[in-house]
Every structure is written in C-alpha cells, then in structure tokens.
C-alpha cells in the first residue's frame, strides 16, 4: 500500500461490539464461523469502555451492540450508558431471547436508541424449526411489544431461506402488526453455518422472484412500514462491495478483543490485532491486518484491471477464501472470476437437493426430520 493511500485512510464510522458469542438459538443460517461459540468472553467492562473512548476519539458515531446474543452480557446496560454519554447513536441487534426481565427498560433509560430484532417467521413451527428454540416465538413477540410500549424504534430483520421464503407475505403482515418501523427481508449471505447448510437453505430463482413480487405488492400497500429486500449473492453476476471496502468504514470487536474489518474476517488466514494489546488508532491505521486489502496492490490481474474495482473492491474476501481457499482471488460471485463456476455448481446442487439443515449441536438435528413438514 502506497504512502498516499495510507494518508487517505478515513476513520471508522460504524463500530460493532460483539459482547458475547453465547446464544440461546441455533439458527441454521448463522453467518458466524463454525466454532464461533468457542470464542471466550475475554473483555471486561473496562475493556469495552476503552474501545468506546478510542473509537469515539477517532470520529466513530454509530454503535452496534451484537453477539451471539448481547443481552446475555451482564454489563450491557452500563456499556450502553457509557456509549450514550459519549454521544454514540446506539443500536441493539438481538434475537430478543435470553435477556433478564426488565432489561429493555433499563437499556432505554441508559440511552439505547434503536432495536433490531431477528424474526424468522410468523409461524411458530417454522420459527422453532429454524432456531431450535421452542420458546423463541413467544419471547420475540413479547420483546417486540415491549420495544413499542417503550416508544423505541423497531427494526425487524428476517433472514430468508428455503424454509420460510414462501411465507414472505404473512411475515410482512405479522411485522406490520407488531408495529415495526422497518423490515429487512434479507436473503442470507452464505458464510459459516449458512455455507455448511447451503444445500438445504438456498431458495430457487423462481422462489426468489415470487418473494420479490410479493414484497413489491406490500410495498405499495404499506406506507408506514418500510420494507427492504436483499438478493443473495449467488444469483448475481457482480459481487457486493463488502463492508464498503476493507478497513474503510466498519470496525468489529469480538468477545475476546480481536479487532476485525468485518464479523467473519477471522475465518481468513490473517493474524488480527487485539484491543487489549494495542490502541484502536494503531490497529486501524498501522496494523498489517487492516492494511492487508486496502488499495489494489493485493489484487490479482483480473480485479486490478477491472473498471469496476472502485465499486466492488474485488468483492468479499471471506467469500473468496471460503470458496477458493485463496483470499486474494476475485469473489467467485463475479462472472469474471475464474471460479465463478463454483457458485453456479453450488446453485445447481442446492436446487436439486432435498437435504435438511443441521444445527451447531448436531445431536439435535433429528428434530428437522421430525418437523420437516411444519412449514410446507
């Protein structure tokens, strides 16, 4: 990376604190690495405060609080209060399951601004099937109602798979009834457990087209709730500009203190720095890891000569590595990639597969077989 390119590095704007990787759900589409639940909660409350001080001093303004399930971190209220005092705009990203009674009211009083709640279906059986948690539906409805009663903004994220894609219309109606301000219908990106389960999760192009048609109908019908629809990479010919470009906008701190350019970056064969050992400023501007894919010197000839490299930056490094075992390769979603056939083969195999997904706890996977007709 040239000196001029280094001097042009802008500070992070969005910081994501992954307070824990513990989670009461076992969602089959989870993007986290396969062993993510083994990541230890190595950050003390004071460690998180230090991160907040240093990122705010750099100019960061948006703060996401996530996990795993962040409500399982006993210090979450104090962390939100500290962030609010620093004038961060705070956003809780949660399953709505597992938190102590009354914690949402405490978070509101501490300054929490927005709640993003994951809701997988309007149907209890489908919800149980996807999350492997029998109380998920009841808990999520109660949580959503409390968000609205407290006068807070509610964003719902619905990850779409083959198990719930034909329920899109009902899901939109359900979220509207819950009072959601925004609904993101997110056709999942295939990392971690999602990639492990891709044959069982990836919808067909026909299902996607129908779901988008249904979504567009409700967009016209519903003027109060904004609805967004995200198409999965595997049906595109050009990759997304992952995280707006490596080390340009987003900074993630995971539960043991690793600083990452995105949530899944530690699946790459790169040694990432730890905020307990270095300052955020040193990490962001000077570390080898955060400079690894800045600029275009790292690119292979296909990407470096591409006129769209300033738009997509060669696509996702994690996806390139997962599908080609070479993190310098062009994202195989791109039809200019020498590995684009890998994506086409995945789509072909998934469209003719009758596999059932597996959970992180594989001992529980037989529940899929017992319940496989619940959402048909």
């Amino acid at each position: 990376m040239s000196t001029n390119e280094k001097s042009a590095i802008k500070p992070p704007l969005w910081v994501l604190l992954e307070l824990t990787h513990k989670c009461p759900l076992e969602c089959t589409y989870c993007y986290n690495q396969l062993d993510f639940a083994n990541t230890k909660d190595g950050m003390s409350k004071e460690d998180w405060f230090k991160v907040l001080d240093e990122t705010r001093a750099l100019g960061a303004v948006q703060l996401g609080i996530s996990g795993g399930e962040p409500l399982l971190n006993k210090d979450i209220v104090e962390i939100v209060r500290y962030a609010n005092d620093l004038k961060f705009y705070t956003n809780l990203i949660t399953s709505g399951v597992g938190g102590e009674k009354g914690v949402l009211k405490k978070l509101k009083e501490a300054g929490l601004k927005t709640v993003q709640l994951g809701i997988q279906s309007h149907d209890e059986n489908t919800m149980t099937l996807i999350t492997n948690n029998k109380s998920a539906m009841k808990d999520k409805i109660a949580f959503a109602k409390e968000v609205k009663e407290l006068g807070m903004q509610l964003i719902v994220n619905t990850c779409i798979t083959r198990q719930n894609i034909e329920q899109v219309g009902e899901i939109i109606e359900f979220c509207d009834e819950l009072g959601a301000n925004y609904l993101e219908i997110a056709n999942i990106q295939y990392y971690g457990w999602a990639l492990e389960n891709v044959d069982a999760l990836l919808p067909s192009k026909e299902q996607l087209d129908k779901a988008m048609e249904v979504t567009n109908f409700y967009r016209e019908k519903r003027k109060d709730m904004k609805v967004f629809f995200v198409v999965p990479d595997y049906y595109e010919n050009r990759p997304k500009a992952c995280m707006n470009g490596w080390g340009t906008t987003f900074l993630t701190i995971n539960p043991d203190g690793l600083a990452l350019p995105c949530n899944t970056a530690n699946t790459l064969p790169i040694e990432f720095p730890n905020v307990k050992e270095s300052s955020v400023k040193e990490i962001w501007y000077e570390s080898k890891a955060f400079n690894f894919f800045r600029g275009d010197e790292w690119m292979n000839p296909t990407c470096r000569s591409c006129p769209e490299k300033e738009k997509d930056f060669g696509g996702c490094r994690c996806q390139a590595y997962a599908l080609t075992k070479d993190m310098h390769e062009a994202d195989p979603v791109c039809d200019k990639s020498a590995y684009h056939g890998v994506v086409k083969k995945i789509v072909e195999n998934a469209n003719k597969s009758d596999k059932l997904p597996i959970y992180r706890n594989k001992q529980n996977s037989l529940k899929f077989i017992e319940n496989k007709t619940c959402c048909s």
Side-chain angles (χ1 to χ4, degrees):
M1 189 175 188
S2 69
T3 303
N4 287 340
E5 286 174 324
K6 281 193 174 182
S7 65
I9 298 172
K10 295 179 180 179
L13 296 178
W14 174 274
V15 181
L16 182 71
L17 306 186
E18 293 186 334
L19 297 187
T20 182
H21 276 179
K22 296 170 184 168
C23 188
L25 309 184
E26 295 185 24
C27 299
T28 53
Y29 56 77
C30 184
Y31 60 75
N32 278 301
Q33 62 269 27
L34 300 183
D35 64 347
F36 92 109
N38 295 327
T39 303
K40 304 303 180 186
D41 292 353
M43 293 281 284
S44 68
K45 175 176 60 178
E46 289 72 25
D47 289 330
W48 290 117
F49 289 174
K50 175 177 175 287
V51 168
L52 292 170
D53 284 332
E54 293 181 354
T55 53
R56 190 70 184 95
L58 287 181
V61 292
Q62 297 279 345
L63 182 72
I65 298 169
S66 180
E69 177 44 64
L71 295 176
L72 298 179
N73 184 295
K74 63 182 176 57
D75 298 318
I76 186 171
V77 174
E78 290 181 74
I79 291 169
V80 168
R81 182 177 292 112
Y82 196 90
N84 185 64
D85 289 345
L86 290 173
K87 309 302 182 185
F88 273 104
Y89 186 91
T90 50
N91 177 33
L92 175 68
I93 304 166
T94 178
S95 70
V97 179
E100 293 182 359
K101 186 174 182 180
V103 68
L104 191 55
K105 185 174 186 292
K106 292 177 182 177
L107 288 169
K108 167 72 182 300
E109 291 169 349
L112 183 67
K113 299 296 189 294
T114 301
V115 174
Q116 180 177 317
L117 175 65
I119 290 181
Q120 293 78 12
S121 178
H122 72 295
D123 173 72
E124 186 172 5
N125 287 333
T126 307
M127 178 88 76
T128 302
L129 180 70
I130 294 173
T131 65
N132 193 30
N133 187 300
K134 291 182 179 179
S135 70
M137 174 65 85
K138 171 178 64 69
D139 292 346
K140 286 174 183 287
I141 291 175
F143 192 86
K145 287 181 177 178
E146 188 176 359
V147 171
K148 298 307 295 184
E149 287 169 0
L150 289 169
M152 301 173 71
Q153 185 179 68
L154 176 63
I155 300 169
V156 173
N157 178 275
T158 298
C159 291
I160 294 296
T161 70
R162 194 183 302 163
Q163 284 69 45
N164 63 1
I165 192 167
E166 293 179 6
Q167 301 175 349
V168 164
E170 291 91 341
I171 291 170
I172 294 173
E173 292 277 11
F174 178 63
C175 293
D176 190 51
E177 290 170 4
L178 288 176
N181 302 94
Y182 297 89
L183 168 62
E184 180 183 51
I185 299 171
N187 285 278
I188 58 175
Q189 307 302 114
Y190 289 90
Y191 307 96
W193 281 99
L195 185 57
E196 185 85 350
N197 283 322
V198 63
D199 282 352
L201 299 180
L202 184 68
S204 69
K205 184 65 164 58
E206 291 72 25
Q207 286 177 311
L208 282 168
D209 289 343
K210 179 62 177 176
M212 187 173 288
E213 180 183 326
V214 171
T215 301
N216 287 336
F217 171 78
Y218 280 93
R219 278 176 178 158
E220 293 298 319
K221 184 178 178 183
R222 303 288 182 207
K223 300 299 182 184
D224 46 352
M225 181 177 72
K226 303 292 184 184
V227 182
F228 302 92
F229 190 95
V230 181
V231 178
D233 279 3
Y234 286 7
Y235 288 105
E236 300 280 7
N237 290 321
R238 289 290 181 274
K240 293 180 172 67
C242 187
M243 310 304 289
N244 287 344
W246 180 278
T248 65
T249 309
F250 294 91
L251 171 65
T252 295
I253 312 298
N254 84 355
D256 63 8
L258 282 187
L260 305 168
C262 75
N263 316 52
T264 59
N266 58 339
T267 61
L268 299 172
I270 296 175
E271 185 176 347
F272 288 96
N274 196 297
V275 295
K276 291 183 288 184
E277 299 166 0
S278 304
S279 72
V280 172
K281 184 176 181 179
E282 290 170 332
I283 289 169
W284 185 260
Y285 288 102
E286 302 298 333
S287 71
K288 181 178 179 181
F290 274 77
N291 283 303
F292 210 103
F293 294 116
R294 284 173 172 153
D296 63 6
E297 292 179 10
W298 63 269
M299 292 182 179
N300 67 18
T302 300
C303 290
R304 196 179 300 172
S305 62
C306 179
E308 298 185 34
K309 69 179 181 180
E310 300 299 331
K311 295 180 181 178
D312 59 37
F313 313 108
C316 177
R317 297 301 86 220
C318 300
Q319 186 155 269
Y321 182 69
L323 299 183
T324 74
K325 301 309 176 188
D326 183 350
M327 61 184 177
H328 296 84
E329 272 294 335
D331 188 331
V333 164
C334 181
D335 61 9
K336 296 181 180 181
S337 166
Y339 290 90
H340 186 60
V342 173
V343 172
K344 294 177 73 174
K345 189 66 176 177
I346 289 173
V347 171
E348 179 185 340
N349 289 342
N351 285 342
K352 62 185 180 184
S353 172
D354 59 358
K355 285 184 180 179
L356 297 169
I358 58 172
Y359 301 111
R360 287 196 305 273
N361 181 353
K362 294 182 175 65
Q363 292 179 338
N364 291 330
S365 295
L366 287 177
K367 292 181 181 180
F368 272 114
I369 297 174
E370 295 167 1
N371 294 291
K372 67 181 181 179
T373 60
C374 77
C375 52
S376 60

